[in-house]
Amino acid sequence: DIKERRVFIDSRKEWFHALRYENDGQSCVVKGPIVESARGGYEDHMLTLSIPIEEVFPAPGTPVVCHGLSERSHLNGKVGDTQGFDKGAFKVH
């Protein structure tokens, strides 16, 4: 079961595909923007960019790896799916 990894890039106000993290999780390599074509597929003219992690917001259902948690440090390194954003933090299940 492959899940789609869509992220919203705040500075560009567009959706991209997340490819990987770099620089110890400080940046995310993305491809996009995602633009549906009239034929129902996606446009082939996409850019590949490295974006600072502060500008990357994963869509609900996007798989992520938890890191930097202090109050629930036992979850660091665990994989989960984003469920939303609340009070400045992502909810992950």
Side-chain angles (χ1 to χ4, degrees):
D1 185 27
I2 297 175
K3 295 188 178 188
E4 194 166 21
R5 293 169 169 85
R6 286 186 182 210
V7 293
F8 185 77
I9 306 303
D10 195 40
S11 62
R12 298 180 65 97
K13 305 295 186 224
E14 296 176 298
W15 289 96
F16 284 73
H17 294 286
L19 302 179
R20 66 184 175 279
Y21 293 101
E22 292 184 327
N23 303 319
D24 200 26
Q26 296 303 307
S27 61
C28 183
V29 176
V30 298
K31 187 172 184 177
I34 299 170
V35 179
E36 289 194 46
S37 72
R39 297 184 309 271
Y42 296 109
E43 293 291 329
D44 293 329
H45 308 289
M46 295 186 174
L47 303 171
T48 300
L49 306 169
S50 182
I51 304 291
I53 199 66
E54 297 83 19
E55 296 182 27
V56 178
F57 294 89
T62 298
V64 295
V65 177
C66 297
H67 65 90
L69 302 175
S70 55
E71 291 183 24
R72 296 187 177 176
S73 60
H74 64 284
L75 297 175
N76 287 329
K78 303 288 185 189
V79 176
D81 296 336
T82 56
Q83 300 296 309
F85 190 76
D86 185 35
K87 299 178 186 168
F90 290 101
K91 291 186 175 188
V92 177
H93 177 40

